[in-house]
Structures are given as C-alpha cells and as structure tokens.
Amino acid sequence: MELEIKDLHISAEEKEIVKGVSLKIRKGELHVVMGPNGSGKTTLAKAIMGQPDLKATGGDILVDGKSILGMKVDERAKLGIFLQFQNPVEVEGLGFMSFLNAAKGSIYGDRLSFKDFMAEVKNSVSSLSIKEDLIGRSLNFGFSGGEKKKIEILQMAILKPKVAILDEPDSGLDIDAVRVVAEGINQLRSKNEMGILLITHYSRILNYMEPQFIHVMKDGVIIKEGGKELITEVEEKGYNA
Ligand SMILES: Nc1ncnc2c1ncn2[C@@H]1O[C@H](COP(=O)(O)OP(=O)(O)OP(=O)(O)O)[C@@H](O)[C@H]1O
Ligand SMILES: [Mg+2]
C-alpha cells in the first residue's frame, strides 16, 4: 500500500494547523517526522486517520492513488491504516481483550477463535515484555505511561496494518523499553512490509531503527527533509537553525 499526502491543509475550529504538507510513504518505508511542540505533527497524524473534528481544507490524502478524504475512521482502518496515539485514552469497563478482538473482527471481517486469538496475543505480550496481567484489565485503565505505549504496539502487532502512524511511541519509556518497542516495530515492519510514519522528539529510538526519510515540521509545514544525518543536525543545532 502507498499512502500519499498531497499539499494537505487541515483546520481545527476554523484555525489552520497543517498548512500544505506533502509526503509519500511506500510499502516498507520508515519515515520520521520531527519538529517543535505545537508544529502540527499530531494534527497531521489524526487527520490521516480521519478524526472527525479536523477538516481538510485543501489537498488530498490518497491510498494507492484513490482519495480517502471522504472515508470515516473505521473505513480507513479497514484499508490498513493504524494510528498509535500520543495520549491513549483510558476506558474503564471495556475489557482490553474484547476491545482488541472486536477491532480485529471489524477490520478483517471474521474472527479467530478466542483461543487462537489469545495465543497470538500472548506471543506478542512476551516479545514486548508486557506484564501479563495487563491484558486482563480494562483498556488502558490505570496503566502506566510506558505500559500504555507498549499496549499500543501490541495492538499494532495484532491488527497488522499496512501503514502505521506512530505518534511518539517512545515518550515516557524507560531506556530498556525504548529498545523493546523499537525492536517490536522493526519486526512488524519487516514481517508485514508495513510503511511507517513515526513522530518523535528524540533520536534515542532511532538508534535502534533504520529510518530512510526524515521530515522536519514547523508551523504546519515541512521545512527540511533528508536522511538519517538530519537527526544529528537537529540534535546539535535545534530547530531554529
Ligand atoms: N481541536 C483543536 N482546536 C484548536 N487548536 C488545536 C486543536 N488541535 C490542535 N490545535 C492546535 O494546533 C497546534 C498543533 O498541535 P499538535 O498537537 O498537532 O502539535 P504537535 O506538533 O503534535 O506538538 P507536540 O510535539 O507538543 O506533540 C497547537 O497549537 C494546538 O493547540
Ligand atoms: Mg503531538
């Protein structure tokens, strides 16, 4: 699957936040978006997923050449787009496993037996070093910051998207967890030829990954693009340079 963002403009409450962004993510590619707080990274991510309060006022989002702007979140998910939230919501009373099993069922149309589903989950739980008792609890309810991030990667492992947008999957993770999460993402990327758009503020997670394209976003536009060398440049000089 190829995801193309073409001169995209996004407004929230009449205010333009994304002001003409173009990006193309092909099968298996890893793209990184960096940029100062408030530059519009999360807004871009949510707009790709189809969050209803964000309005596309110009440009287009294309999947394999076809516009998806008219599609709702669930239709985009069925196409294979996945968004990992910067701040996952807690939902008390919604069992994490029944949520995930239902999400998988709605994307793929059929459901695995609960036994097979659980076997698949347990597999990912151990490779991501997630505490087993989390999977028996309500979705994100009372989870620590780092646990929420790992749980999002677990969801990605089970839902197997074609393009994943990861909004700060490394924020709040301890040093070991950053490596575990990076390796989890790498594994999924190579196994499923998943395209990835990864938003981050820190180069640490990128030490364990091979990003091919770095995009620096500021004030709603991409101000610079390059390869991995751009990360060092940003770390040394900051965004104002
Ligand atoms: N629904 C909304 N209504 C009004 N303003 C909004 C809305 N959503 C986002 N914004 C504003 O748009 C700007 C960009 O926000 P966004 O969350 O996309 O930034 P970001 O690049 O992800 O920042 P950070 O690195 O801090 O996560 C911010 O100034 C934010 O307050
Ligand atoms: Mg953000």
Short mmCIF file of all heavy atoms in Angstrom, two decimals, residues 128-169:
data_model
loop_
_atom_site.label_atom_id
_atom_site.label_comp_id
_atom_site.label_asym_id
_atom_site.label_seq_id
_atom_site.Cartn_x
_atom_site.Cartn_y
_atom_site.Cartn_z
N LEU A 128 7.17 -8.26 23.66
CA LEU A 128 7.24 -6.84 24.03
C LEU A 128 7.48 -6.65 25.53
O LEU A 128 7.43 -5.52 26.04
CB LEU A 128 5.94 -6.13 23.64
CG LEU A 128 5.70 -5.89 22.13
CD1 LEU A 128 4.25 -5.51 21.86
CD2 LEU A 128 6.62 -4.81 21.60
N SER A 129 7.77 -7.73 26.25
CA SER A 129 7.94 -7.69 27.71
C SER A 129 6.83 -6.91 28.40
O SER A 129 7.08 -6.01 29.20
CB SER A 129 9.28 -7.08 28.14
OG SER A 129 10.32 -7.47 27.33
N ILE A 130 5.59 -7.28 28.08
CA ILE A 130 4.43 -6.66 28.73
C ILE A 130 4.00 -7.56 29.88
O ILE A 130 4.02 -8.79 29.76
CB ILE A 130 3.28 -6.50 27.71
CG1 ILE A 130 3.64 -5.44 26.66
CG2 ILE A 130 1.97 -6.14 28.41
CD1 ILE A 130 2.69 -5.39 25.48
N LYS A 131 3.64 -6.95 31.01
CA LYS A 131 3.17 -7.76 32.14
C LYS A 131 1.84 -8.40 31.77
O LYS A 131 0.90 -7.72 31.36
CB LYS A 131 2.96 -6.86 33.38
CG LYS A 131 4.26 -6.62 34.13
CD LYS A 131 3.94 -6.11 35.54
CE LYS A 131 4.40 -4.69 35.72
NZ LYS A 131 3.61 -3.78 36.45
N GLU A 132 1.77 -9.73 31.97
CA GLU A 132 0.60 -10.49 31.52
C GLU A 132 -0.72 -10.02 32.12
O GLU A 132 -1.76 -10.11 31.49
CB GLU A 132 0.78 -11.98 31.81
CG GLU A 132 1.64 -12.68 30.77
CD GLU A 132 1.00 -13.95 30.23
OE1 GLU A 132 -0.21 -14.16 30.45
OE2 GLU A 132 1.73 -14.73 29.59
N ASP A 133 -0.66 -9.51 33.36
CA ASP A 133 -1.93 -9.15 33.99
C ASP A 133 -2.60 -7.95 33.31
O ASP A 133 -3.80 -7.75 33.43
CB ASP A 133 -1.74 -8.88 35.49
CG ASP A 133 -1.04 -7.56 35.75
OD1 ASP A 133 0.13 -7.43 35.36
OD2 ASP A 133 -1.69 -6.65 36.31
N LEU A 134 -1.85 -7.18 32.53
CA LEU A 134 -2.45 -6.03 31.83
C LEU A 134 -3.53 -6.46 30.86
O LEU A 134 -4.52 -5.75 30.66
CB LEU A 134 -1.38 -5.26 31.03
CG LEU A 134 -0.34 -4.47 31.79
CD1 LEU A 134 0.47 -3.66 30.79
CD2 LEU A 134 -0.99 -3.55 32.79
N ILE A 135 -3.34 -7.61 30.23
CA ILE A 135 -4.29 -7.99 29.19
C ILE A 135 -5.65 -8.38 29.77
O ILE A 135 -6.64 -8.41 29.05
CB ILE A 135 -3.75 -9.09 28.25
CG1 ILE A 135 -3.51 -10.39 29.01
CG2 ILE A 135 -2.49 -8.64 27.54
CD1 ILE A 135 -3.02 -11.51 28.11
N GLY A 136 -5.71 -8.65 31.07
CA GLY A 136 -6.99 -8.98 31.68
C GLY A 136 -7.73 -7.75 32.21
O GLY A 136 -8.79 -7.87 32.79
N ARG A 137 -7.14 -6.56 31.99
CA ARG A 137 -7.74 -5.36 32.58
C ARG A 137 -8.50 -4.51 31.57
O ARG A 137 -8.53 -4.82 30.39
CB ARG A 137 -6.63 -4.53 33.25
CG ARG A 137 -6.17 -5.18 34.55
CD ARG A 137 -4.84 -4.68 35.05
NE ARG A 137 -4.73 -3.23 35.16
CZ ARG A 137 -3.61 -2.63 35.55
NH1 ARG A 137 -2.54 -3.34 35.87
NH2 ARG A 137 -3.56 -1.32 35.60
N SER A 138 -9.14 -3.44 32.06
CA SER A 138 -9.85 -2.52 31.17
C SER A 138 -8.83 -1.76 30.31
O SER A 138 -7.71 -1.52 30.75
CB SER A 138 -10.64 -1.49 31.97
OG SER A 138 -11.73 -2.07 32.63
N LEU A 139 -9.27 -1.37 29.12
CA LEU A 139 -8.38 -0.73 28.15
C LEU A 139 -7.68 0.50 28.75
O LEU A 139 -8.33 1.50 29.06
CB LEU A 139 -9.18 -0.33 26.91
CG LEU A 139 -8.39 0.38 25.80
CD1 LEU A 139 -7.29 -0.52 25.25
CD2 LEU A 139 -9.32 0.82 24.70
N ASN A 140 -6.38 0.38 28.91
CA ASN A 140 -5.53 1.47 29.41
C ASN A 140 -5.85 1.96 30.81
O ASN A 140 -5.21 2.89 31.30
CB ASN A 140 -5.58 2.69 28.46
CG ASN A 140 -4.82 2.42 27.17
OD1 ASN A 140 -3.79 1.75 27.18
ND2 ASN A 140 -5.33 2.93 26.07
N PHE A 141 -6.86 1.39 31.45
CA PHE A 141 -7.31 1.94 32.73
C PHE A 141 -6.28 1.70 33.82
O PHE A 141 -6.00 0.56 34.19
CB PHE A 141 -8.67 1.37 33.13
CG PHE A 141 -9.28 2.09 34.29
CD1 PHE A 141 -9.77 3.37 34.14
CD2 PHE A 141 -9.31 1.50 35.54
CE1 PHE A 141 -10.31 4.06 35.22
CE2 PHE A 141 -9.86 2.17 36.62
CZ PHE A 141 -10.36 3.46 36.45
N GLY A 142 -5.71 2.80 34.31
CA GLY A 142 -4.70 2.70 35.34
C GLY A 142 -3.35 2.21 34.84
O GLY A 142 -2.46 1.95 35.63
N PHE A 143 -3.20 2.07 33.54
CA PHE A 143 -1.90 1.64 33.00
C PHE A 143 -0.89 2.76 33.19
O PHE A 143 -1.23 3.95 33.08
CB PHE A 143 -1.99 1.34 31.50
CG PHE A 143 -2.75 0.09 31.13
CD1 PHE A 143 -3.56 -0.56 32.04
CD2 PHE A 143 -2.66 -0.42 29.84
CE1 PHE A 143 -4.28 -1.71 31.69
CE2 PHE A 143 -3.37 -1.56 29.48
CZ PHE A 143 -4.18 -2.20 30.39
N SER A 144 0.36 2.41 33.41
CA SER A 144 1.40 3.44 33.50
C SER A 144 1.63 4.00 32.10
O SER A 144 1.22 3.39 31.10
CB SER A 144 2.70 2.84 34.05
OG SER A 144 3.37 2.12 33.03
N GLY A 145 2.31 5.15 32.03
CA GLY A 145 2.57 5.77 30.73
C GLY A 145 3.27 4.81 29.77
O GLY A 145 2.88 4.68 28.61
N GLY A 146 4.30 4.14 30.27
CA GLY A 146 5.05 3.21 29.44
C GLY A 146 4.22 2.01 29.04
O GLY A 146 4.31 1.52 27.91
N GLU A 147 3.39 1.53 29.96
CA GLU A 147 2.52 0.38 29.65
C GLU A 147 1.55 0.73 28.53
O GLU A 147 1.32 -0.07 27.62
CB GLU A 147 1.75 -0.05 30.91
CG GLU A 147 2.62 -0.78 31.93
CD GLU A 147 1.96 -1.01 33.28
OE1 GLU A 147 0.91 -0.38 33.57
OE2 GLU A 147 2.52 -1.78 34.07
N LYS A 148 1.01 1.96 28.57
CA LYS A 148 0.08 2.37 27.51
C LYS A 148 0.76 2.34 26.14
O LYS A 148 0.17 1.96 25.14
CB LYS A 148 -0.43 3.79 27.77
CG LYS A 148 -1.49 3.85 28.84
CD LYS A 148 -1.95 5.29 29.04
CE LYS A 148 -2.86 5.38 30.25
NZ LYS A 148 -3.02 6.74 30.74
N LYS A 149 2.01 2.79 26.11
CA LYS A 149 2.74 2.83 24.83
C LYS A 149 2.97 1.41 24.31
O LYS A 149 2.80 1.14 23.12
CB LYS A 149 4.08 3.54 25.01
CG LYS A 149 3.94 5.00 25.38
CD LYS A 149 3.64 5.83 24.16
CE LYS A 149 2.99 7.14 24.54
NZ LYS A 149 3.05 8.14 23.48
N LYS A 150 3.36 0.51 25.20
CA LYS A 150 3.60 -0.87 24.77
C LYS A 150 2.31 -1.55 24.30
O LYS A 150 2.31 -2.32 23.34
CB LYS A 150 4.20 -1.68 25.91
CG LYS A 150 5.66 -1.39 26.15
CD LYS A 150 6.21 -2.42 27.12
CE LYS A 150 7.69 -2.26 27.35
NZ LYS A 150 8.19 -3.27 28.29
N ILE A 151 1.21 -1.21 24.99
CA ILE A 151 -0.08 -1.80 24.63
C ILE A 151 -0.49 -1.36 23.22
O ILE A 151 -1.08 -2.11 22.46
CB ILE A 151 -1.14 -1.37 25.69
CG1 ILE A 151 -0.92 -2.14 26.99
CG2 ILE A 151 -2.55 -1.51 25.17
CD1 ILE A 151 -1.03 -3.64 26.86
N GLU A 152 -0.14 -0.13 22.86
CA GLU A 152 -0.46 0.35 21.52
C GLU A 152 0.33 -0.44 20.46
O GLU A 152 -0.18 -0.73 19.38
CB GLU A 152 -0.13 1.84 21.38
CG GLU A 152 -0.97 2.73 22.29
CD GLU A 152 -2.21 3.27 21.60
OE1 GLU A 152 -2.07 3.89 20.53
OE2 GLU A 152 -3.31 3.08 22.13
N ILE A 153 1.57 -0.76 20.80
CA ILE A 153 2.38 -1.55 19.86
C ILE A 153 1.83 -2.98 19.78
O ILE A 153 1.80 -3.59 18.70
CB ILE A 153 3.88 -1.57 20.27
CG1 ILE A 153 4.42 -0.15 20.42
CG2 ILE A 153 4.71 -2.36 19.25
CD1 ILE A 153 4.34 0.71 19.17
N LEU A 154 1.36 -3.48 20.91
CA LEU A 154 0.71 -4.80 20.91
C LEU A 154 -0.51 -4.80 19.99
O LEU A 154 -0.73 -5.72 19.21
CB LEU A 154 0.32 -5.18 22.35
CG LEU A 154 -0.58 -6.41 22.53
CD1 LEU A 154 0.12 -7.68 22.07
CD2 LEU A 154 -1.01 -6.58 23.98
N GLN A 155 -1.30 -3.74 20.08
CA GLN A 155 -2.47 -3.64 19.20
C GLN A 155 -2.05 -3.66 17.73
O GLN A 155 -2.67 -4.30 16.89
CB GLN A 155 -3.25 -2.34 19.47
CG GLN A 155 -3.95 -2.33 20.81
CD GLN A 155 -4.58 -0.98 21.09
OE1 GLN A 155 -5.14 -0.35 20.21
NE2 GLN A 155 -4.48 -0.53 22.32
N MET A 156 -0.97 -2.95 17.46
CA MET A 156 -0.47 -2.92 16.08
C MET A 156 -0.04 -4.31 15.63
O MET A 156 -0.29 -4.72 14.50
CB MET A 156 0.69 -1.93 16.00
CG MET A 156 1.26 -1.79 14.64
SD MET A 156 2.38 -0.40 14.55
CE MET A 156 3.85 -1.12 15.24
N ALA A 157 0.61 -5.05 16.54
CA ALA A 157 1.07 -6.40 16.20
C ALA A 157 -0.12 -7.30 15.86
O ALA A 157 -0.04 -8.15 14.98
CB ALA A 157 1.87 -6.99 17.35
N ILE A 158 -1.22 -7.11 16.55
CA ILE A 158 -2.39 -7.96 16.33
C ILE A 158 -3.19 -7.50 15.10
O ILE A 158 -3.67 -8.30 14.33
CB ILE A 158 -3.30 -7.95 17.58
CG1 ILE A 158 -2.54 -8.47 18.81
CG2 ILE A 158 -4.58 -8.76 17.35
CD1 ILE A 158 -2.04 -9.89 18.70
N LEU A 159 -3.29 -6.19 14.92
CA LEU A 159 -4.12 -5.68 13.82
C LEU A 159 -3.39 -5.67 12.47
O LEU A 159 -4.01 -5.56 11.42
CB LEU A 159 -4.65 -4.27 14.15
CG LEU A 159 -5.52 -4.19 15.42
CD1 LEU A 159 -5.96 -2.76 15.68
CD2 LEU A 159 -6.74 -5.11 15.31
N LYS A 160 -2.06 -5.77 12.52
CA LYS A 160 -1.25 -5.85 11.30
C LYS A 160 -1.64 -4.86 10.21
O LYS A 160 -2.06 -5.24 9.12
CB LYS A 160 -1.29 -7.27 10.73
CG LYS A 160 -0.75 -8.31 11.68
CD LYS A 160 -0.65 -9.67 11.01
CE LYS A 160 -0.09 -10.70 11.97
NZ LYS A 160 -0.89 -10.88 13.22
N PRO A 161 -1.50 -3.57 10.50
CA PRO A 161 -1.85 -2.57 9.49
C PRO A 161 -0.85 -2.57 8.34
O PRO A 161 0.23 -3.15 8.45
CB PRO A 161 -1.74 -1.26 10.28
CG PRO A 161 -0.78 -1.54 11.37
CD PRO A 161 -0.96 -2.98 11.74
N LYS A 162 -1.22 -1.89 7.27
CA LYS A 162 -0.31 -1.74 6.13
C LYS A 162 0.52 -0.47 6.27
O LYS A 162 1.66 -0.42 5.84
CB LYS A 162 -1.10 -1.74 4.83
CG LYS A 162 -1.86 -3.03 4.63
CD LYS A 162 -2.30 -3.18 3.18
CE LYS A 162 -2.94 -4.53 2.93
NZ LYS A 162 -4.35 -4.55 3.38
N VAL A 163 -0.11 0.54 6.86
CA VAL A 163 0.63 1.76 7.18
C VAL A 163 0.32 2.13 8.63
O VAL A 163 -0.84 2.20 9.02
CB VAL A 163 0.22 2.94 6.27
CG1 VAL A 163 0.83 4.24 6.78
CG2 VAL A 163 0.67 2.70 4.84
N ALA A 164 1.36 2.32 9.43
CA ALA A 164 1.16 2.68 10.83
C ALA A 164 1.71 4.07 11.09
O ALA A 164 2.82 4.40 10.66
CB ALA A 164 1.84 1.67 11.74
N ILE A 165 0.91 4.88 11.77
CA ILE A 165 1.36 6.21 12.16
C ILE A 165 1.59 6.14 13.67
O ILE A 165 0.66 5.84 14.43
CB ILE A 165 0.30 7.27 11.82
CG1 ILE A 165 -0.02 7.18 10.32
CG2 ILE A 165 0.78 8.66 12.19
CD1 ILE A 165 -1.38 7.68 9.99
N LEU A 166 2.82 6.36 14.07
CA LEU A 166 3.17 6.19 15.48
C LEU A 166 3.52 7.56 16.05
O LEU A 166 4.50 8.17 15.67
CB LEU A 166 4.36 5.23 15.60
CG LEU A 166 4.16 3.88 14.88
CD1 LEU A 166 5.42 3.03 14.95
CD2 LEU A 166 2.99 3.12 15.49
N ASP A 167 2.65 8.04 16.95
CA ASP A 167 2.83 9.39 17.49
C ASP A 167 3.55 9.30 18.84
O ASP A 167 2.95 9.01 19.87
CB ASP A 167 1.45 10.06 17.65
CG ASP A 167 1.57 11.57 17.86
OD1 ASP A 167 2.70 12.08 17.95
OD2 ASP A 167 0.51 12.22 17.93
N GLU A 168 4.84 9.54 18.81
CA GLU A 168 5.69 9.48 19.99
C GLU A 168 5.58 8.15 20.74
O GLU A 168 5.25 8.13 21.94
CB GLU A 168 5.41 10.67 20.92
CG GLU A 168 5.63 12.00 20.22
CD GLU A 168 5.70 13.18 21.19
OE1 GLU A 168 5.97 12.95 22.38
OE2 GLU A 168 5.53 14.31 20.74
N PRO A 169 5.87 7.05 20.07
CA PRO A 169 5.79 5.75 20.74
C PRO A 169 6.85 5.61 21.83
O PRO A 169 6.77 4.73 22.66
CB PRO A 169 6.07 4.74 19.61
CG PRO A 169 6.85 5.49 18.60
CD PRO A 169 6.34 6.91 18.67
#
